[in-house]
């Protein structure tokens, strides 16, 4: 069981622009069956955790596209807001990170936990020693400002790298504070 921050990022380390837009991301060519692809990743995931802004983005995105919440695994959303659940298996929480992580690990039943983002929440997990890997699809785009990938001084160890379409893909082990 591994807790993995699996995400796309810009080359200058942003998950989204200042308006939470991912328009820069969806235009990038990607081979769906290529290195470090999402389908292979999600097969081994048994639980998800994310922050409120990421959840709100998903709510808005699904409303825009008319799609539905299709995740069949439990998902914890860290927030102080009053959200409505748009799918099964959603839990909104303000509990301490280690408590929620333990619940997610138990629910994952031996599979991995996906830290969806954002970057500060991923870093909170790392500060508790509860983030094992960061897997990045790095888009050939810079934004100059936006939602940061990992707003801490931290050491990582490069374990694997490859190319998928326009993306540089890299898997890092999370070492510890710089
Ligand atoms: N590029 C990608 O593949 C990718 C991946 C993930 C996310 N994204 C995007 O990147 C952006 C991320 O936004 P973000 O960095 O603002 O992060 P976020 O983690 O999604 O949301 C931050 C919010 O989470 C809540 N939160 C965080 N830690 C908490 C804790 N310990 N306890 C309770 N609540 C906590 C707070 O919500 P409250 O305001 O309710 O207190 C905080 O304001 C979003 O636009 C998202 O869609 C992109």
């Amino acid at each position: 069981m591994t807790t993995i921050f699996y995400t796309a990022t810009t080359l200058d380390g942003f998950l989204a622009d200042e308006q939470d837009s991912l328009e820069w991301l969806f235009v990038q060519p990607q081979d769906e069956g290529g290195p470090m692809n999402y389908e292979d990743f999600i097969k081994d995931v048994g639980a998800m955790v994310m922050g409120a802004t990421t959840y709100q983005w998903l709510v808005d995105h699904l409303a825009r596209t008319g799609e539905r919440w299709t995740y069949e695994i439990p998902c914890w959303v860290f927030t102080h807001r009053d959200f409505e659940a748009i799918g099964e298996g959603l839990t909104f929480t303000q509990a301490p990170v280690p408590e929620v992580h333990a619940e997610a690990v138990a629910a994952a039943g031996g599979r991995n936990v996906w830290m969806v983002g954002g970057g500060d929440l991923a870093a909170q997990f790392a500060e508790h020693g509860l983030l094992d890997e960061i897997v990045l699809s790095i888009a050939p785009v810079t934004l100059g400002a936006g939602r940061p990938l990992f707003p801490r001084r931290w050491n990582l160890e490069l374990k694997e790298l490859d190319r998928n379409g326009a993306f540089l893909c890299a898997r890092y082990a999370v070492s510890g504070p710089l």
Side-chain angles (χ1 to χ4, degrees):
M1 197 293 302
T2 309
T3 301
I4 308 169
F5 183 23
Y6 177 94
T7 187
T9 177
T10 67
L11 183 60
D12 57 346
F14 296 107
L15 298 175
D17 74 12
E18 287 169 310
Q19 283 73 46
D20 294 306
S21 170
L22 297 179
E23 270 174 43
W24 54 271
L25 176 59
F26 295 134
V27 295
Q28 304 297 332
Q30 190 170 28
D31 173 3
E32 284 182 10
M36 301 192 213
N37 71 76
Y38 173 77
E39 290 304 329
D40 286 349
F41 167 74
I42 199 74
K43 276 198 301 235
D44 296 329
V45 171
M48 300 155 65
V49 290
M50 66 178 67
T53 311
T54 300
Y55 180 72
Q56 183 64 59
W57 184 88
L58 276 165
V59 170
D60 295 344
H61 177 73
L62 295 179
R64 257 194 322 269
T65 59
E67 293 169 38
R68 296 174 57 190
W69 182 269
T70 52
Y71 297 110
E72 288 169 359
I73 51 177
C75 176
W76 280 261
V77 179
F78 283 85
T79 188
H80 301 94
R81 307 173 208 176
D82 287 326
F83 278 119
E84 261 184 49
I86 54 167
E88 296 289 312
L90 276 158
T91 304
F92 302 98
T93 186
Q94 304 169 15
V97 160
E99 216 173 275
V100 177
H101 181 259
E103 283 176 41
V105 168
R111 292 194 287 163
N112 298 325
V113 173
W114 178 18
M115 158 51 65
V116 184
D120 187 79
L121 186 61
Q124 293 177 48
F125 273 58
E127 284 169 336
H128 286 95
L130 297 172
L131 187 68
D132 302 304
E133 289 186 356
I134 300 180
V135 178
L136 299 179
S137 293
I138 304 166
V141 176
T142 60
L143 291 174
R147 309 292 180 212
L149 169 66
F150 200 87
R152 299 290 192 283
R153 293 165 61 90
W154 218 262
N155 268 314
L156 308 174
E157 186 187 348
L158 181 62
K159 292 289 194 183
E160 187 184 349
L161 81 163
D162 217 320
R163 178 189 183 152
N164 184 324
F167 294 90
L168 176 63
C169 303
R171 186 166 65 84
Y172 299 90
V174 174
S175 305
L178 184 63

